[in-house]
Amino acid sequence: MNQRDSTEPMPASRPAIPVVGIGASAGGLEPICELLAAVPPASPFAYVVVQHLDPLQIGMLPELLQRVTAMPVREAADGMPLEAGHVYVIPPNRDLGYAHGLLRLTLRPQTRTQSVSIDHFLNQLAAECGSLAAGVVLSGMGSDGTAGLRAIQERGGMTLAQQPASARFAAMPQSAIDAGSADIVARAGDMPALIAERLAQPPQHVLHVLPGAQRRNALAELLQNLLTRTGNDFADYKMNTVMRRIERRMALHQCPTLEAYVALLQDNPGEVQLLFKEMLIGVTNFFRDQKVWEQLKAVALPQLLEAHPDGAAFKAWVPACSTGEEAYSLAMVFSEAIEHVSPRAKYSLQIFATDLDPDAIDRAREGLFTHSIEADVSPERLQRFFVADERGYRVRKELRNMIIFAQQNIISDPPFTKLDVLSCRNLLIYFSPKLQQRLIPLFHYALKPAGLLLLGSADTPGHFTELFAPLPGGSRIYQRLDAGSQRLVHYFPTRVAAVAPIPNEARSASMNGNLQSQVEQLLLKKHTPAAVLLNRDGDILYIHGRTGAYLEPAAGKANWNIHAMARDGLRYPLADLLQRALAEEGPQVLPGLVMKSASGQELSVDLSAEALRDGEALEGMALVTFLSAPRQAARRTRLASPRVTELEQQLAQARLEIQAVRDEMQTSREELRSANEELQSTNEELQSTNEELTTSKEEMQSLNEELYTVNAELQSKVDDLSLVNSDMKNLLNSTDIATIFLDNVLHIRRFTTQATQVYKLIASDVQRPLSDIASDLVYPELEQDAGEVLRTLVFSEKQIPTRNGRWFTVRIMPYRTVDNVIDGLVLTFINITGAKQLESQLRALSLADGADGGSP
């Protein structure tokens, strides 16, 4: 956005009016006229037309548009205010902006190779008008306008694109549609009515006026619908952001209530996907917050290189990468830092870039960006890291190979680990404080010691000051600190595997006024045993009652597996019990186990396990219950026996043996854990290899397209050559001169039809020596003369008779290529029989006249 001069007085506050920005190329005059002709004279909107114009031509667009609309049409001037019911047109060789209710004109940069004037205006229109802005992209070449429509979308405005089938040049509207930047696709003449329906009505904040319980229920049903259809939970997003997105979709569909919109979602699966896209914040650009990238290049990355003087293969993670601009920015800055430091050791950077939106990941993988990136990327970087083509700029292969793009949900999917750099910029601001408190420790866990964490301008580590320390400079770059393991376990986010809802499960609904429900809940809480629901691997899916006496969290990384959490005395019997329960029918009971509680008291525990086989939701799961009593009470129930002492001795010996087995199993468990980490590392490498294969496939597809183009060009050349060959053949035949082409060893290369009258030639004689072919010529010196011509390059011409009385002028000439290389001989045979016969007759007459003159 253009900055106002500090000496210029700020304009007085103006009432906000809806503004419609219309973008088209020079060939889009027809749809612009169609759109403006459909606008009623007393329109409450201001219309601004931004067209790609020849900078050297005098603009005649205002006069042309005035013929189709009753609204006044003006050419935009710097500082001109917008008025409703008026049309404003961009002048040639200018960029048009909008700030503080005034139009702003700047000279178009001469260095810009492609026009991005539409994006320039729509971006400023979005920032100025917000939900009162409408962006329209009509017929045109290129992709100008796509980024501008996206900016209007993000601020609650309305975006429209012309139907590609009705556009003379469909590239611009098709680009906006493919990028998801167009809310509505319609013909130009239908757009004014659609804009009037949307912008003429004030925003309906229906979510805020509903009663509290009704709002919660409606919103919960909507979010559950999203979770069911897309598999993504938005409950931990900031509700203000979620509500704004929902209200925007409701306004586009003119839904008066949230219940009506929920009904629309249930009947229209496509709208669920559009709402999912709306929830994803896709605002990004290259080198966002330039100060951060400068400090990363000048300070943070050189420090990281100095810490590894022998070279290193660094790893970085960019969650929520959108269409890849931030990941490519990091790759460029790393390459520049390496070049600036010029280290002797070898360094590399592998970037894992992830996002929830699969379409954004596909666009990021393609590495193709519009010409609008010229505003964010310097000409030097464009030349070094990009290749320009007609559609924009494509990332060079060496930069693309540094990045692996993958779809991932940062909230629920496992993180990448052993990272040197983690860039999560301008993402946390969209999450609730509770989710932020889960993610910051997750970032700490994913980074190596002294690793770098990049946050957005509005993001901080919060109260986790013992995990990260900011680097000097105030650019939101933090360095990982070491922290105590207990503190980290407390911070690390706990993930419990999601299970399908159990039909008979009592919901935690409100029990106000329901005495029976309250009593049932109290009985369940007080008199039912503690229990846990497990899957086949022993992972805890659900906990009922107080299980702290039997289970405790294991030290280190959070592990919700019952084999790791069971207390001493229960762990190994429990493993055998679960195995029997899953293999046999009915409940399996293991009574009288002895264990010590956290307070040191001995307890007698009865374990029960039963495999659940009723219903698809619980198929394959097991329910384990714990029932305990003090050890002393359990002893009183036993009968005295004279052999108690002996049994206790045997029991003590068995405990020692069991303890030895436990130690061995613990060692095996640690080895398995180490092997599991190695498998995870191998999995990451396989993911990297898979991404490289995907890239290779894309390159092969591109190479295939190039080969197809080369093949088409070659076919064209073959057709031209065939035509030239036909012309040459017809030319030689039309001269009626017998011609034979020989190579350097006097083998036949080509011959004309007339040559068969001299030599007995057929089509299969090509490549045969000329001496093998029978001829009527009385010319035994032919091969000798031909060899002399090849040696001296001086042509030979002789008159040779035939055995049947004909005469030919035989000319032997060198065969020269277009590169002036001698590549054989050309033999021509000109029939001079008639001339010879005439010459004989004249000679006979001359002799006869001489004889008459000599007689007496």
Side-chain angles (χ1 to χ4, degrees), residues 226-282:
L226 270 178
L227 177 60
T228 303
R229 299 283 184 89
T230 69
N232 295 286
D233 189 2
F234 291 91
D236 286 326
Y237 281 58
K238 286 185 178 178
M239 281 300 104
N240 289 338
T241 301
V242 173
M243 290 177 180
R244 283 197 301 269
R245 303 289 166 178
I246 295 174
E247 288 174 354
R248 172 178 155 76
R249 297 305 305 175
M250 291 177 61
L252 288 173
H253 289 282
Q254 298 295 306
C255 291
T257 64
L258 183 60
E259 287 81 357
Y261 185 64
V262 171
L264 175 66
L265 289 178
Q266 294 174 347
D267 298 335
N268 188 354
E271 176 61 21
V272 176
Q273 296 299 324
L274 291 176
L275 178 61
F276 170 65
K277 293 283 188 183
E278 189 79 24
M279 292 291 189
L280 303 179
I281 313 299

Side-chain angles (χ1 to χ4, degrees), residues 259-572:
E259 287 81 357
Y261 185 64
V262 171
L264 175 66
L265 289 178
Q266 294 174 347
D267 298 335
N268 188 354
E271 176 61 21
V272 176
Q273 296 299 324
L274 291 176
L275 178 61
F276 170 65
K277 293 283 188 183
E278 189 79 24
M279 292 291 189
L280 303 179
I281 313 299
V283 180
T284 184
N285 56 273
F286 285 97
F287 301 103
R288 194 175 185 182
D289 299 331
Q290 186 69 30
K291 184 180 178 182
V292 176
W293 300 105
E294 292 174 356
Q295 185 180 12
L296 183 66
K297 175 182 174 181
V299 179
L301 288 180
Q303 290 180 359
L304 191 62
L305 298 177
E306 290 176 3
H308 300 79
D310 298 329
F314 297 116
K315 293 199 303 181
W317 180 25
V318 182
C321 67
S322 188
T323 49
E325 284 88 336
E326 185 173 327
Y328 287 118
S329 298
L330 178 59
M332 285 187 276
V333 167
F334 181 83
S335 300
E336 292 172 347
I338 292 292
E339 182 180 4
H340 180 72
V341 175
S342 300
R344 296 182 180 179
K346 183 179 179 181
Y347 296 92
S348 63
L349 177 64
Q350 181 70 72
I351 302 175
F352 303 99
T354 62
D355 197 89
L356 190 59
D357 187 357
D359 294 335
I361 288 296
D362 291 340
R363 292 176 58 197
R365 284 186 180 136
E366 187 178 7
L368 180 63
F369 299 93
T370 65
H371 290 92
S372 61
I373 68 172
E374 294 175 354
D376 302 314
V377 184
S378 66
E380 294 78 13
R381 283 171 170 160
L382 286 175
Q383 183 177 4
R384 177 180 176 186
F385 298 109
F386 295 86
V387 177
D389 63 23
E390 59 182 9
R391 294 189 293 169
Y393 292 97
R394 186 178 297 277
V395 176
R396 290 187 182 272
K397 181 179 179 180
E398 54 269 22
L399 192 71
R400 174 65 183 84
N401 290 342
M402 295 174 62
I403 308 174
I404 296 174
F405 292 99
Q407 186 182 1
Q408 187 212 38
N409 189 335
I410 190 176
I411 301 176
S412 59
D413 292 337
F416 293 89
T417 58
K418 300 179 182 179
L419 303 171
D420 299 279
V421 180
L422 198 160
S423 178
C424 182
R425 307 183 64 247
N426 303 298
L427 173 65
L428 298 180
I429 57 175
Y430 299 107
F431 293 154
S432 65
K434 178 182 177 182
L435 181 55
Q436 292 180 19
Q437 292 178 6
R438 289 173 52 193
L439 290 181
I440 294 298
L442 179 70
F443 295 160
H444 184 277
Y445 169 77
L447 283 167
K448 290 181 180 178
L452 300 177
L453 173 64
L454 280 67
L455 296 179
S457 57
D459 300 330
T460 65
H463 63 274
F464 298 101
T465 54
E466 72 275 28
L467 300 184
F468 294 98
L471 293 183
S475 295
R476 301 295 186 186
I477 301 179
Y478 298 85
Q479 193 168 39
R480 182 188 186 275
L481 302 176
D482 290 332
S485 59
Q486 296 300 323
R487 188 68 166 150
L488 288 179
V489 171
H490 175 71
Y491 283 162
F492 197 88
T494 301
R495 285 188 174 85
V496 180
V499 295
I502 303 173
N504 296 328
E505 180 184 358
R507 297 182 177 270
S508 58
S510 173
M511 295 185 295
N512 294 334
N514 191 339
L515 184 59
Q516 178 183 354
S517 177
Q518 294 186 30
V519 172
E520 291 175 353
Q521 291 291 333
L522 183 60
L523 290 173
L524 287 172
K525 182 177 180 181
K526 294 291 186 180
H527 300 285
T528 57
V532 292
L533 181 67
L534 311 174
N535 61 15
R536 287 187 174 274
D537 298 325
D539 296 325
I540 298 176
L541 307 179
Y542 181 79
I543 298 176
H544 173 75
R546 303 176 66 87
T547 59
Y550 319 105
L551 306 176
E552 64 175 347
K557 182 180 177 180
N559 189 346
W560 280 72
N561 191 283
I562 196 169
H563 301 297
M565 297 182 64
R567 292 184 181 273
D568 292 340
L570 297 182
R571 185 171 302 162
Y572 302 106

Side-chain angles (χ1 to χ4, degrees), residues 723-737 739 752 754:
L723 180 62
V724 171
N725 188 37
S726 299
D727 293 343
M728 175 183 169
K729 183 176 181 181
N730 283 279
L731 175 62
L732 293 175
N733 290 335
S734 67
T735 61
D736 200 27
I737 297 175
T739 306
T752 62
Q754 291 80 1

